[in-house]
Amino acid sequence: MPIENATLPFDAATASAAYQNALQVIESVEPTVAGAIRSELADQRSSLKLIASENYASPAVLLTMGTWLSDKYAEGTIGHRFYAACQNIDTVEQAAVDHATALFGAPHAYVQPHSGIDANLVAFWAILAQRIELPALENAGAKHVNDLSEADWQQLRRALGDQRALGMSLDAGGHLTHGFRPNISGKMFHQSSYGTDEKTGLLDYEKVRATAKEFRPLILIAGYSAYPRKINFATMREIADEVGAVLMVDMAHFAGLVAGKVFTGDYDPVPHAHVTTTTTHKSLRGPRGGMVLCQPEFADSVDRGCPMVLGGPLGHVMAAKAVALAEARQPAFQTYAQAVADNAVTLAEGLMKRGVRLVTNGTENHLALLDVTSFGLTGRQAESALLDSGIVTNRNAIPRDPNGAWYTSGVRIGTPALTSRGFGAEEFDRVAELIVDVLTATSPNAAASGGASKAKYAIADGVAGKTHSAADEMLAANPLYPGLDLG
Ligand code: PLP
């Protein structure tokens, strides 16, 4: 029977039988891999997972990926493939598209991107294809950049070199794919960034407007990996329109809050952005993958993601996207998404009332960013001490971080995963207490052997063990995949 009131619903007996049988098959060929699969579930069950970008997908989503849909090549689009016998891939891709357009109210959805980075790359090329001016090209009548001659391409390459993208700076919470150098986006575009207000840590829309007017980007990018507030996308669109830019929103982190109707009106990116990209595996709780939603003007170009920048679509993952999106269309997902946001507020308030400084003094989404400098720690030291105590987080730069992007001064935490386990207000307040106990008991320890001093630390005797036990108690009361028995 499905478990009542579970935030992550599934039938335990059926799922147990499915996994036990699957593991037997895998074990007979490669026991090491079967062992790692068992071990990963045990590890995930036994830690307080606060990584803001991670979640637990349902057994239905996970099982969908282990199928022969993986074996099919299906380059092209639905009903228009470069391979024969793609009817079943057509079916699952269409199902994912239908669920995505209905769930997000989007005119068009492209569900082939293999990851968030791929979704952004598809979006960049689609925007370039639609908006770049081609008057001097010999084949100027071509409908699409893919149809151009080699001579045209040479000219295009020169034109591409002049294009500009404006996104949120990395230390304010932006993502590498928003035009930063280690990513291809930083090589494709001249990049400039907008930050956050020095005092409040909040996005200053008038500064974004002023920067956009001066920089005149082709693409204004909104979205983040570590900004703990919602963004007014109506205002961002107004700014984009004022400077003739395309508004691209990367909602990878908060797609679950959009799907669950926590972010609506001005805070829902889909009606305001020309192009919206996302991952499907974070707050949306689907399989690891990406997706692009767009206005009709960009649909044709977005659909050319394969072969422009993508290889053959992953049929098994598109099918799992369809299953996850179907789950997200259920009323229970809205309850889940609201709980993710409410729990983030409880966690943030629990930390602040115990003296922790949070970037922006709070949260309006699924994540919070702790400034751990008041504990005398780097983000790296704090992350390691928390991990020793059974609490999984990740270190993250804070705005104008004195310790840089590697050691950092911050720790990012999020509520999607533990909310999927059924954690509520009481549990998240206790999590805040445990975090503060560990950080208070941790000190830099330059004398420790090995590694750089910004990574060395010591935890007062007994604290890690005591925290682990308290975490274990909470985890046992809110089991991951309750009743799922691998045999
Ligand atoms: N965009 C944003 C805002 C992200 O936070 C991330 C991943 O952390 C990505 C894109 C990239 O997603 P993926 O790891 O699936 O390529």
Side-chain angles (χ1 to χ4, degrees):
M1 288 295 294
I3 293 164
E4 276 186 37
N5 300 328
T7 324
L8 183 65
F10 73 100
D11 181 309
T14 313
S16 297
Y19 277 108
Q20 285 173 22
N21 292 329
L23 281 164
Q24 255 183 33
V25 175
I26 299 165
E27 241 146 29
S28 70
V29 180
E30 177 39 299
T32 314
V33 168
I37 294 170
R38 288 178 185 281
S39 173
E40 182 60 27
L41 179 59
D43 290 351
Q44 298 219 14
R45 278 180 156 163
S46 61
S47 59
L48 279 178
K49 173 147 100 169
L50 287 171
I51 293 184
S53 52
E54 292 187 8
N55 210 333
Y56 307 109
S58 74
V61 167
L62 298 175
L63 285 165
T64 304
M65 283 187 281
T67 63
W68 26 94
L69 292 169
S70 162
D71 293 336
K72 191 76 195 88
Y73 249 109
E75 285 176 25
T77 49
I78 300 164
H80 185 78
R81 308 281 184 186
F82 292 89
Y83 285 79
C86 294
Q87 59 278 9
N88 297 307
I89 304 298
D90 280 351
T91 301
V92 298
E93 184 168 353
Q94 188 65 55
V97 166
D98 290 346
H99 285 308
T101 50
L103 177 65
F104 292 106
H108 185 75
Y110 182 63
V111 299
Q112 294 191 13
H114 312 327
S115 72
I117 281 195
D118 287 353
N120 285 347
L121 205 48
V122 169
F124 289 140
W125 276 107
I127 293 166
L128 288 168
Q130 274 319 112
R131 287 294 171 91
I132 214 160
E133 288 188 13
L134 310 171
L137 301 181
E138 67 179 36
N139 188 15
K143 283 208 187 96
H144 194 274
V145 284
N146 291 14
D147 304 326
L148 296 173
S149 67
E150 193 42 45
D152 286 340
W153 260 108
Q154 282 184 16
Q155 243 192 286
L156 244 183
R157 269 182 214 114
R158 283 193 289 275
L160 285 176
D162 290 335
Q163 300 309 316
R164 297 165 182 211
L166 175 63
M168 184 181 249
S169 68
L170 276 183
D171 77 345
H175 191 257
L176 278 177
T177 54
H178 300 177
F180 294 94
R181 242 173 296 147
N183 180 257
I184 183 74
S185 60
K187 323 235 181 267
M188 287 166 68
F189 297 107
H190 293 292
Q191 199 269 356
S192 184
S193 48
Y194 52 85
T196 46
D197 184 81
E198 213 161 310
K199 279 205 189 98
T200 62
L202 299 172
L203 200 53
D204 178 340
Y205 294 96
E206 287 321 304
K207 276 204 184 136
V208 178
R209 193 186 306 273
T211 309
K213 279 186 171 163
E214 197 182 324
F215 188 62
R216 314 297 299 188
L218 171 74
I219 311 178
L220 174 62
I221 305 169
Y224 51 78
S225 299
Y227 179 66
R229 296 281 165 176
K230 52 189 184 183
I231 290 179
N232 186 322
F233 296 111
T235 304
M236 293 303 272
R237 174 60 187 259
E238 202 182 277
I239 296 169
D241 286 347
E242 264 179 53
V243 300
V246 171
L247 177 63
M248 171 177 155
V249 176
D250 178 350
M251 64 169 182
H253 256 264
F254 53 89
L257 300 186
V258 179
K261 313 293 176 224
V262 177
F263 287 176
T264 56
D266 291 353
Y267 302 97
D268 174 353
V270 180
H272 302 293
H274 295 90
V275 181
T276 304
T277 60
T278 187
T279 54
T280 46
H281 48 273
K282 303 185 205 266
S283 54
L284 195 53
R285 211 164 69 185
R288 189 158 291 279
M291 196 161 73
V292 182
L293 308 171
C294 66
Q295 299 303 325
E297 178 198 352
F298 294 91
D300 265 5
S301 297
V302 162
D303 279 351
R304 300 198 194 201
C306 165
M308 192 65 180
V309 294
L310 300 176
L314 312 178
H316 57 312
V317 181
M318 292 195 297
K321 287 173 188 170
V323 174
L325 291 164
E327 289 176 347
R329 291 183 69 191
Q330 300 297 317
F333 194 83
Q334 295 188 16
T335 310
Y336 164 71
Q338 190 58 55
V340 166
D342 293 345
N343 286 336
V345 170
T346 303
L347 182 57
E349 285 177 352
L351 290 164
M352 289 190 298
K353 78 183 177 200
R354 294 177 175 93
V356 180
R357 193 187 91 75
L358 297 185
V359 172
T360 79
N361 288 321
T363 178
E364 290 171 333
N365 53 24
H366 62 297
L367 70 89
L369 187 56
L370 285 68
D371 174 351
V372 295
T373 51
S374 64
F375 293 95
L377 301 171
T378 63
R380 172 76 183 263
Q381 290 160 335
E383 174 196 84
S384 302
L386 288 167
L387 185 62
D388 291 348
S389 312
I391 303 174
V392 188
T393 64
N394 68 283
R395 65 187 185 280
N396 205 102
I398 60 173
R400 295 163 282 280
D401 199 311
N403 286 319
W406 180 248
Y407 292 108
T408 82
S409 304
V411 168
R412 187 186 67 164
I413 54 177
T415 54
L418 290 181
T419 303
S420 290
R421 269 184 101 128
F423 275 44
E426 199 183 311
E427 290 83 1
F428 272 104
D429 187 59
R430 180 85 175 109
V431 170
E433 192 181 3
L434 296 180
I435 291 173
V436 174
D437 287 351
V438 173
L439 296 183
T440 308
T442 305
S443 47
N445 180 13
S449 59
S453 65
K454 285 183 176 183
K456 295 181 190 176
Y457 64 98
I459 312 174
D461 278 353
V463 174
K466 207 172 118 211
T467 307
H468 238 301
S469 307
D472 287 348
E473 239 175 72
M474 269 193 289
L475 294 167
N478 297 276
L480 174 60
Y481 306 119
L484 179 67
D485 176 9
L486 299 187

